[in-house]
Amino acid sequence: MTQTSAPGTARVHVIADGYVREDDDGDRVGSTVTLIIDGDVAVIVDPGMVSSRTALLAALAGRGIAPEQVTDVVFSHHHPDHTVNAALFPAARIHDFWAVYDGDLWISRDAEGAELSPSIRLIATPGHTDQDISTIASTADGVYACTHAWWGAGGPAEDPFSQDPAVLARSRQRLLDIASVIIPGHGPSFRPGPGTPR
Ligand SMILES: [Zn+2]
Ligand SMILES: [Zn+2]
């Protein structure tokens, strides 16, 4: 087991519920947007497409955080539905799979193992794209993984974007070994079980 057993100090709040649906007027996509707080660190994961930026910022305010207090933004990967609203958080460093972007500083590094705080770290989880990373937060009640390895609790079992299903399967297993709660790209958080696509 690679389960992280020691409780952490992070607090995890989903501030926008992700979705993918077909409406009469077209396909609608919303990113799951998550706020993770650990001490002075406030992280937004996947500030992507939302139906209302006002509602997103109101949800953040509801947790006592102003946009300029967000210290870090994480892109799980580079699809626009998970990145387009990054500029709402003007002071945040931005993290992706291969770098940290701070103002006009491009700091190359590998995301695997990068620590944003004592209880928040990044791991490489390729599969949906080959540049996917997941944000792992250790809390008092378990380990949360913000990840696009699943769109939602039901998968899809086979990700239509995946170039190599075996790579995605390995990442999913790694996440299941670590995390007690999955926060997927486009759906409510879930506790993995026997029906979770592997
Ligand atoms: Zn994507
Ligand atoms: Zn997505």
Side-chain angles (χ1 to χ4, degrees):
M1 285 291 275
T2 52
Q3 184 119 17
T4 307
S5 50
T9 52
R11 286 171 293 143
V12 177
H13 309 284
V14 173
I15 58 168
D17 294 314
Y19 53 85
V20 180
R21 68 167 187 266
E22 213 173 301
D23 276 0
D24 290 341
D25 60 350
D27 294 332
R28 295 198 177 264
V29 179
S31 177
T32 303
V33 185
T34 306
L35 167 67
I36 308 173
I37 301 170
D38 187 21
D40 293 335
V41 173
V43 180
I44 294 285
V45 181
D46 280 2
M49 291 165 71
V50 290
S51 60
S52 164
R53 292 188 177 101
T54 305
L56 180 71
L57 294 177
L60 185 66
R63 296 296 175 181
I65 305 287
E68 41 290 327
Q69 290 178 303
V70 172
T71 57
D72 299 88
V73 161
V74 178
F75 293 159
S76 65
H77 63 292
H78 280 271
H79 287 159
D81 55 325
H82 300 281
T83 60
V84 289
N85 280 314
L88 289 175
F89 311 105
R93 299 179 301 167
I94 294 179
H95 304 256
D96 72 356
F97 74 107
W98 69 352
V100 179
Y101 312 91
D102 188 357
D104 63 354
L105 265 181
W106 178 310
I107 306 158
S108 294
R109 62 100 185 81
D110 191 342
E112 174 66 36
E115 290 192 2
L116 277 57
S117 80
S119 293
I120 306 171
R121 66 191 167 96
L122 307 178
I123 63 171
T125 52
H128 171 65
T129 70
D130 58 13
Q131 300 175 344
D132 268 56
I133 59 175
S134 298
T135 306
I136 307 298
S138 299
T139 77
D141 65 345
V143 176
Y144 289 65
C146 301
T147 181
H148 207 293
W150 295 268
W151 295 26
E158 291 183 26
D159 187 319
F161 286 83
S162 179
Q163 302 284 323
D164 185 343
V167 171
L168 178 59
R170 273 199 295 279
S171 291
R172 284 174 169 173
Q173 189 57 54
R174 186 176 180 204
L175 288 159
L176 294 174
D177 286 344
I178 295 171
S180 44
V181 178
I182 302 293
I183 300 178
H186 298 282
S189 64
F190 65 93
R191 289 184 179 270
T196 302
R198 310 272 158 157

